[in-house]
Amino acid sequence: MTIEITHTRREGTLIEGTSRGDGSAEILRRREYGRTQRQPFRWSRNLDCWYLPHSRDHATYTPSLELLAQRLRDAGFEVTLTIDNADRRSFSEAEKEREAKADGRAERFGEYADSAAQNSEAAWKKSHDLSERFAFGQPILVGHHSEGRARRDHARMDDAMRKSISERDRADHWTGRAQAAANYEQFRKDPGRTLRRLDKLRADLRAVEKWQRGESAKGFSRNPADPELEIERQELTEEIAHWQQVIKDAEAAGFKVWSKADFKRGDFVLYRGTWYEVLRVNPKSLTIPHIHNGTGKRIVRATGNQHDNWTWTAPYDGVSGRKSAEEMQPQRVEAAEQQGQAEQSAPSKEPVPAEKPTPVAAPAAGSDGQDGMALVLIASKNSRRSRKRALWAMTRREAQAVCGDSRTSGRSYMLTWTDRPGVEGTDWEWTPDNGSLDPVLSDLGITPRREWTAAAQAPAEAA
């Protein structure tokens, strides 16, 4: 039987004509093929033939296929090799197929996750039912006729619980993969990411056009007569047109594409959630004060910062908003903040006016009551601060609930509390609340405060 090796951009590299046990599999599984010369061929039940992964929509590395053909001929097979790099599909067609496959993966992985969750629940129930026999702490009676059954039940309980945990982890794995597949299209069409992709594609297109003119690009030259250059130019042109349409659709939906024409020196730009004064307007980015100056701040002006001599560049694809210097005047900002606070819904328990926080009396020395007041502090890993950083004031009972919640600690920080913080400004200071823990406070039904009445206190002592 003749083995046929074919490659097209449309279908990729396929090998047909093999049969089980004929000796070809050992040659095809070697990790020596493809553009990287480190890929093996794989068998596809859907295609009913061997294929080279990631070979679609790319030109083949001809020496690799010639090497494979020669090895098969040396093993006694009759081989034909056909390469047609010009047979390709459009980029839009390929992208639609990728999106359809992602939808299929999301549905399939969701079914895997549901199945694993059901298996986990069934295993847990089995372990729980077995444990009913030992609900009141019945020990294993060594030497009794029930000893063998009791030990078997313990072993079955252990096996069932281990299976439950394993299936739960498996369900979490497939849930994550299903979510990633479901978000594929949204991820690919994210406007900011698409703008960055377009910059790279346009640079690649300029390089190909230079090579076609016989010029050097990217540090090297290529043969202008190479037909592959024209195919690459067509592919890049199609892909750029596709992503430009994605940006147009996003603009129609309300997305703003920022550019040099939208800014002038002295304006303010919203970048990564903080307003920065624009120091210089560049073709592809804005020069702003260094982002280290924005720690704990909502507005960073050109001067009066810790690192005034440091700057940062904010690319236009990362910009979220713009305001003029007049709009960012302190009086206008303060008025806007007061209006926003007035429009917020009042808390369900003991509302505190935003304009005048209610003072919190410092606890008496030695007070152990759960309703006594405490300060919630934030501690960071490897921090060398001389003063503690306080987030909120609340009762000791509330502070224990907040600090005991798993959502208030991370890899590099944790919350703690104390009812004897010491002297404000010397032992501790207030730190800005960025609102990231508001859901935790809402779930616990806690309304924190931001003022601690200065009074004689015992030496600082953290709980």
Side-chain angles (χ1 to χ4, degrees):
M1 182 180 292
T2 301
I3 295 179
E4 299 178 358
I5 304 175
T6 60
H7 174 84
T8 62
R9 270 182 161 86
R10 180 180 297 276
E11 301 295 340
T13 304
L14 305 177
I15 298 181
E16 299 175 302
T18 63
S19 58
R20 183 184 294 272
D22 63 359
S24 61
E26 289 74 12
I27 299 175
L28 294 171
R29 288 197 180 104
R30 294 183 185 180
R31 295 181 174 271
E32 301 174 359
Y33 307 112
R35 289 171 292 153
T36 63
Q37 296 182 281
R38 295 180 180 179
Q39 292 178 276
F41 281 83
R42 293 180 182 176
W43 176 262
S44 170
R45 289 180 295 178
N46 293 331
L47 300 175
D48 196 28
C49 66
W50 293 87
Y51 74 100
L52 186 64
H54 312 296
S55 59
R56 295 186 73 182
D57 304 313
H58 295 286
T60 187
Y61 182 61
T62 304
S64 175
L65 295 186
E66 291 176 346
L67 173 63
L68 171 62
Q70 186 58 45
R71 285 176 174 173
L72 291 172
R73 292 188 183 104
D74 293 342
F77 295 98
E78 183 179 348
V79 180
T80 62
L81 175 59
T82 305
I83 298 176
D84 184 5
N85 285 318
D87 183 11
R88 65 183 187 88
R89 55 181 179 171
S90 67
F91 179 81
S92 297
E93 180 184 354
E95 191 68 13
K96 288 180 181 179
E97 181 176 329
R98 285 190 282 266
E99 292 172 1
K101 287 185 175 180
D103 292 339
R105 287 197 303 272
E107 182 178 357
R108 186 168 67 254
F109 294 161
E111 294 175 355
Y112 295 165
D114 291 342
S115 176
Q118 292 173 5
N119 293 340
S120 176
E121 181 69 20
W124 177 87
K125 188 176 185 304
K126 178 180 178 181
S127 176
H128 178 73
D129 292 344
L130 289 170
S131 69
E132 288 296 313
R133 177 183 173 189
F134 310 97
F136 298 101
Q138 173 67 36
I140 296 178
L141 304 177
V142 179
H144 192 264
H145 66 82
S146 63
E147 178 185 359
R149 179 188 173 190
R151 294 192 183 279
R152 289 192 297 273
D153 284 347
H154 273 278
R156 285 196 289 267
M157 286 165 53
D158 182 73
D159 291 342
M161 186 54 67
R162 289 179 184 276
K163 180 179 179 181
S164 176
I165 295 172
S166 175
E167 289 294 318
R168 181 196 63 193
D169 293 342
R170 182 168 168 264
D172 291 342
H173 167 77
W174 287 117
T175 299
R177 292 200 61 181
Q179 187 64 39
N183 293 338
Y184 173 83
E185 183 175 358
Q186 179 182 357
F187 176 86
R188 289 280 285 177
K189 293 184 177 180
D190 176 74
R193 186 174 292 106
T194 302
L195 289 172
R196 293 190 290 274
R197 185 185 296 118
L198 279 169
D199 287 342
K200 180 182 180 301
L201 291 173
R202 291 182 181 120
D204 292 342
L205 180 59
R206 289 193 297 270
V208 170
E209 291 173 344
K210 284 186 177 181
W211 287 326
Q212 287 183 313
R213 295 194 299 266
E215 301 174 7
S216 175
K218 296 186 176 182
F220 61 95
S221 301
R222 293 175 61 178
N223 182 9
D226 186 356
E228 185 65 23
L229 287 176
E230 179 58 26
I231 297 176
E232 290 180 11
R233 189 191 67 78
Q234 294 174 5
E235 289 179 332
L236 288 169
T237 302
E238 289 179 2
E239 188 170 357
I240 289 172
H242 174 86
W243 295 121
Q244 284 177 336
Q245 184 60 46
V246 170
I247 293 297
K248 290 180 181 178
D249 294 342
E251 287 183 301
F255 177 76
K256 168 64 176 175
V257 178
W258 300 97
S259 66
K260 180 179 179 179
D262 297 312
F263 293 90
K264 65 178 184 295
R265 182 175 180 178
D267 288 346
F268 284 79
V269 58
L270 183 59
Y271 179 67
R272 297 184 180 179
T274 302
W275 289 98
Y276 294 90
E277 186 171 351
V278 176
L279 304 179
R280 187 166 59 250
V281 180
N282 310 308
K284 292 188 177 182
S285 65
L286 299 169
T287 301
I288 59 176
H290 200 282
I291 58 174
H292 287 177
N293 295 315
T295 304
K297 294 183 180 180
R298 199 172 63 83
I299 302 173
V300 180
R301 301 185 182 275
T303 58
N305 305 306
Q306 183 178 2
H307 306 290
D308 275 344
N309 55 334
W310 295 5
T311 60
W312 192 263
T313 55
Y316 292 118
D317 55 65
V319 171
S320 303
R322 172 201 170 273
K323 286 187 178 182
S324 66
E326 292 75 16
E327 293 174 315
M328 295 300 287
Q329 289 295 331
Q331 297 83 356
R332 293 195 177 187
V333 172
E334 183 178 357
E337 288 180 347
Q338 291 178 355
Q339 182 180 1
Q341 290 172 354
E343 292 175 354
Q344 290 179 354
S345 59
S348 58
K349 294 174 62 179
E350 299 182 3
V352 180
E355 297 80 2
K356 186 177 180 181
T358 301
V360 180
S367 174
D368 294 327
Q370 291 295 302
D371 293 328
M373 300 307 298
L375 273 185
V376 176
L377 310 172
I378 181 170
S380 300
K381 183 178 180 181
N382 299 327
S383 175
R384 299 181 180 179
R385 296 177 181 270
S386 59
R387 292 189 292 269
K388 300 182 181 70
R389 295 180 295 160
L391 273 175
W392 312 297
M394 57 182 64
T395 66
R396 290 182 52 167
R397 190 187 310 277
E398 292 172 339
Q400 290 174 355
V402 170
C403 297
D405 195 293
S406 61
R407 294 172 291 176
T408 61
S409 62
R411 297 180 60 182
S412 59
Y413 76 96
M414 64 178 293
L415 296 188
T416 183
W417 65 271
T418 178
D419 56 3
R420 300 178 183 179
V423 181
E424 181 177 358
T426 302
D427 300 316
W428 62 275
E429 61 185 0
W430 290 107
T431 189
D433 179 9
N434 61 12
S436 61
L437 297 177
D438 286 350
V440 179
L441 297 174
S442 177
D443 292 345
L444 297 176
I446 296 174
T447 303
R449 299 163 184 171
R450 292 280 295 177
E451 186 168 333
W452 182 273
T453 301
Q457 299 178 13
E461 177 182 338

